[in-house]
Amino acid sequence: MATYKKRGYKPKAVKEKAETIEGLEEESTTAEVFNTLDESANKAEDFVAKNQKGIFIIIGVAALIMLGYLGYKKFIAEPKADEAMNEMYSAQKSFDEAVAGANKDSLYTLALNGVGGKLGLTDIVDQYGSTPAGNLANYYAGMAYLNLKDYTNAVKYLGDFSTNDAVLGPIAKGGMGDAFVQLNQLPEALEYYEKAITASTNDYTTPMYLLKAANVAQSLGNNAKALEYYKRIKAEFDTSDQAKNIDIFIGRSEAKN
């Protein structure tokens, strides 16, 4: 029997067959990826549909929190801060007069307790403690108590004062150190003098608290630390008042080492 061969027919080479198979596999993989994406999208849509109420509640709560914060800041916090600053005027005036003039004790007392129906520093702290003026009132109250020799309250109020100011920060820490010296708590005094030193470096507070820290360290028997602080005054603040007799302090400290 004769064998019929179709004209033009040519068997595919092995390479062509492999390419065809690979093409089919790629099409199959691509289809699977799109099917997976479709399934994921459908699942996400189903989740949103089923939990739509809960999602809207969460969004609503977040919006209310934000609006509440903005409202609190504008209608409560800011007016309260302004009110506190107005209350501070009279107390701060008494404090400034005490620093500058005579009758210091009575003026510091007026600053603390108030005068003419105006709040004193302690009341401002109690009522406006969360405001900038309330925070500043802690500083003034602490320094007033320090001058009135009420060292326990001085530590309390100065300890509640917080600031990044290059002068007020060290003075507040140093004031606590002064109070602890008077309370005969020398380790605590040294700790706060050192905090005053590290709070800011300037020509006013730094040499002052270096000398106080050195003297307390000397009293505690820590001559090495005392000598370190004396020498720093001589090296870095030689024009300060604290440097006038610094060689005497250095000599005494070296003799004890």
Side-chain angles (χ1 to χ4, degrees):
M1 179 183 291
T3 302
Y4 175 76
K5 184 180 289 186
K6 187 176 180 182
R7 182 181 295 177
Y9 174 76
K10 185 178 179 182
K12 289 185 179 180
V14 173
K15 182 179 180 180
E16 289 177 347
K17 289 181 180 178
E19 289 176 349
T20 302
I21 292 171
E22 288 176 359
L24 291 173
E25 288 177 348
E26 288 178 1
E27 290 178 4
S28 176
T29 302
T30 303
E32 288 178 5
V33 169
F34 280 113
N35 287 335
T36 301
L37 291 174
D38 287 340
E39 289 176 5
S40 299
N42 290 334
K43 288 179 180 178
E45 290 173 1
D46 290 342
F47 175 82
V48 172
K50 291 178 181 178
N51 299 277
Q52 189 173 27
K53 183 177 179 180
I55 292 171
F56 284 144
I57 289 173
I58 292 170
I59 294 172
V61 169
L64 285 174
I65 291 172
M66 179 59 68
L67 290 172
Y69 168 75
L70 294 174
Y72 170 81
K73 184 176 179 182
K74 183 170 182 62
F75 297 111
I76 298 177
E78 290 179 2
K80 192 170 184 179
D82 293 339
E83 186 180 322
M85 285 301 297
N86 290 332
E87 289 289 349
M88 270 287 290
Y89 175 78
S90 177
Q92 187 174 349
K93 184 173 180 291
S94 295
F95 183 94
D96 292 342
E97 289 174 354
V99 171
N103 301 319
K104 292 181 180 293
D105 286 0
S106 60
L107 286 168
Y108 280 128
T109 301
L110 288 176
L112 287 166
N113 299 329
V115 61
K118 293 293 184 179
L119 295 179
L121 294 168
T122 55
D123 289 327
I124 293 170
V125 170
D126 290 340
Q127 296 184 32
Y128 302 98
S130 62
T131 68
N135 178 50
L136 190 58
N138 277 308
Y139 170 79
Y140 285 118
M143 296 306 291
Y145 278 122
L146 184 63
N147 282 278
L148 290 170
K149 299 180 174 56
D150 185 343
Y151 303 115
T152 300
N153 272 320
V155 169
K156 173 182 179 296
Y157 282 95
L158 289 174
D160 287 338
F161 174 62
S162 62
T163 184
N164 292 321
D165 187 86
V167 176
L168 288 186
I171 290 177
K173 300 299 183 187
M176 293 179 71
D178 292 343
F180 280 123
V181 167
Q182 296 301 323
L183 292 168
N184 200 31
Q185 296 178 228
L186 295 187
E188 289 81 1
L190 180 58
E191 175 188 349
Y192 278 93
Y193 285 145
E194 290 177 330
K195 287 183 177 181
I197 293 166
T198 58
S200 171
T201 301
N202 60 75
D203 292 336
Y204 172 59
T205 65
T206 309
M208 177 168 60
Y209 294 121
L210 277 170
L211 184 59
K212 290 188 176 188
N215 290 339
V216 171
Q218 192 100 67
S219 298
L220 291 169
N222 193 339
N223 294 317
K225 180 169 284 190
L227 183 59
E228 174 192 342
Y229 290 154
Y230 289 139
K231 286 185 173 180
R232 186 176 168 192
I233 292 171
K234 183 175 182 177
E236 299 178 29
F237 306 97
D238 60 318
T239 60
S240 66
D241 289 340
Q242 290 75 23
K244 288 179 180 177
N245 299 308
I246 201 64
D247 286 330
I248 296 173
F249 289 111
I250 290 174
R252 288 175 181 173
S253 186
E254 285 179 334
K256 292 181 180 180
N257 280 335

